[in-house]
Amino acid sequence: MKTFNHCLLIAVATFLFATAGCGLHALFHIVGAGSGDLIRSISALIGTLFSIVLGLLVSSSYAAFNSHQSDFNALAAAAANIDLLLKQFPEDAKPCRTMLKGVVLRVLNRYWPNKRGVSLHELDYKDLLGDIEALLRINTHSESFRNVTRDDLNAIRQYSNNFITIQSNIIRSLSNQIPSLLLVIVFGWACLLFFLYGILNGGDTLSFFILCLGAVAIASANFLILELTHPCQGIFKVSRSPFDLLLESLDKEEHATPDDLPAPRHSFI
């Protein structure tokens, strides 16, 4: 709702500037042969600057969205690999898999909160303390598994380290939002551009309709930027399905009978 209100404000402001330009044209008839050419030249300059910067903002926002999706996929893969290693020791790893399930639930609640209005850019590294503690306990407890090998322990440590490192990268990237001042400047150019467009036309009904459509298009560009830079909220969201599948697997095997569980690993000499 906050994003929608912000975009609506931009659309209204842009259209009001265009209307002011039309009123100025009708009141003073300032567009003559010389001034008309000058206004067209200035509006072309501002339009070029605006289109270049706006295109870069949308492109960088989309790239950031894809980067977040890749990070979350890698995060889910790290957790799934830990779970796959723990499955090799069904008799000893049940407490560890319960802790891993808690970690997955915290990740879901952290990045896809049920409460609306939660600002993900306010996340801090201290929010990872619970995950770090759980993974350390998993690594410590796994050393007591029967028939566990050094390679298994090293793999669990490596995936645990990857899990925390990826989350640190996600939190750092979420905190690096597009500066508000930059958006104000860019969409200020849009208001000035529409003001010049209004000066150049006579203010008929069709012109007002076209200017209104242009204002909506400008607001939609701002909507794309804001939505893509908040990847876990709003309409455009990164997929949480890898974590849902992992959680479903953990829930299913938590209530499985002993016959449904994989056979424990045996050592052969």
Side-chain angles (χ1 to χ4, degrees), residues 2 14 20 27 29 40 45 61 69 86 121 129 161 169 171 195 256:
K2 183 179 179 181
T14 306
L27 184 62
H29 301 284
R40 290 184 182 90
L45 172 63
S61 300
Q69 183 67 76
L86 295 177
H121 67 273
L129 292 178
N161 181 67
N169 293 334
I171 290 177
F195 176 73

Side-chain angles (χ1 to χ4, degrees), residues 14-268:
T14 306
F15 183 72
L16 287 179
F17 269 84
T19 304
C22 293
L24 196 63
H25 171 88
L27 184 62
F28 296 102
H29 301 284
I30 60 175
V31 182
S35 60
D37 292 339
L38 178 61
I39 292 174
R40 290 184 182 90
S41 299
I42 296 300
S43 61
L45 172 63
I46 297 174
T48 301
L49 291 173
F50 174 74
S51 61
I52 291 174
V53 177
L54 186 63
L56 290 174
L57 285 175
V58 174
S59 177
S60 62
S61 300
Y62 183 68
F65 181 86
N66 287 334
S67 177
H68 281 112
Q69 183 67 76
S70 299
D71 286 340
F72 280 112
N73 289 341
L75 188 66
N81 282 320
I82 295 174
D83 185 53
L84 287 174
L85 289 167
L86 295 177
K87 283 181 180 180
Q88 304 302 316
F89 311 95
E91 298 178 358
D92 302 316
K94 186 175 181 180
C96 293
R97 298 191 70 204
T98 301
M99 287 186 283
L100 182 62
K101 178 182 176 181
V103 171
V104 174
L105 288 174
R106 278 195 296 271
V107 168
L108 290 174
N109 292 330
R110 181 178 302 129
Y111 300 108
W112 292 274
N114 294 325
K115 296 181 180 179
R116 296 183 178 181
V118 178
S119 299
L120 294 183
H121 67 273
E122 295 179 357
L123 290 174
D124 198 357
Y125 293 128
K126 64 182 180 181
D127 296 307
L128 302 180
L129 292 178
D131 296 350
I132 295 173
E133 180 181 358
L135 290 175
L136 287 175
R137 292 175 61 187
I138 291 174
N139 280 268
T140 301
H141 189 71
S142 62
E143 295 177 357
S144 62
F145 291 172
R146 286 170 289 182
N147 304 322
V148 67
T149 66
R150 181 57 55 184
D151 290 339
D152 294 329
L153 295 176
N154 289 336
I156 293 175
R157 293 192 185 101
Q158 182 62 43
Y159 288 125
S160 299
N161 181 67
N162 291 343
F163 188 86
I164 298 301
T165 301
I166 294 170
Q167 278 209 81
S168 300
N169 293 334
I170 292 173
I171 290 177
R172 183 168 57 252
S173 60
L174 286 175
S175 64
N176 295 328
Q177 301 293 319
I178 295 178
S180 299
L181 181 59
L182 176 59
L183 293 178
V184 170
I185 292 174
V186 172
F187 290 100
W189 290 350
C191 292
L192 177 58
L193 186 61
F194 271 62
F195 176 73
L196 296 178
Y197 287 160
I199 292 178
L200 289 172
N201 77 82
D204 56 282
T205 303
L206 180 60
S207 297
F208 276 112
F209 178 71
I210 297 300
L211 289 171
C212 181
L213 290 180
V216 172
I218 296 298
S220 66
N222 179 74
F223 177 79
L224 281 176
I225 294 171
L226 294 179
E227 284 288 307
L228 292 175
T229 51
H230 296 78
C232 300
Q233 297 174 316
I235 297 177
F236 300 101
K237 295 181 181 180
V238 294
S239 175
R240 53 173 280 176
S241 56
F243 292 100
D244 291 332
L245 290 173
L246 177 58
L247 188 62
E248 181 181 352
S249 174
L250 290 168
D251 285 335
K252 181 179 179 180
E253 296 188 18
E254 183 178 2
H255 300 91
T257 61
D259 294 335
D260 298 327
L261 296 176
R265 178 182 295 185
H266 298 284
S267 60
F268 298 93

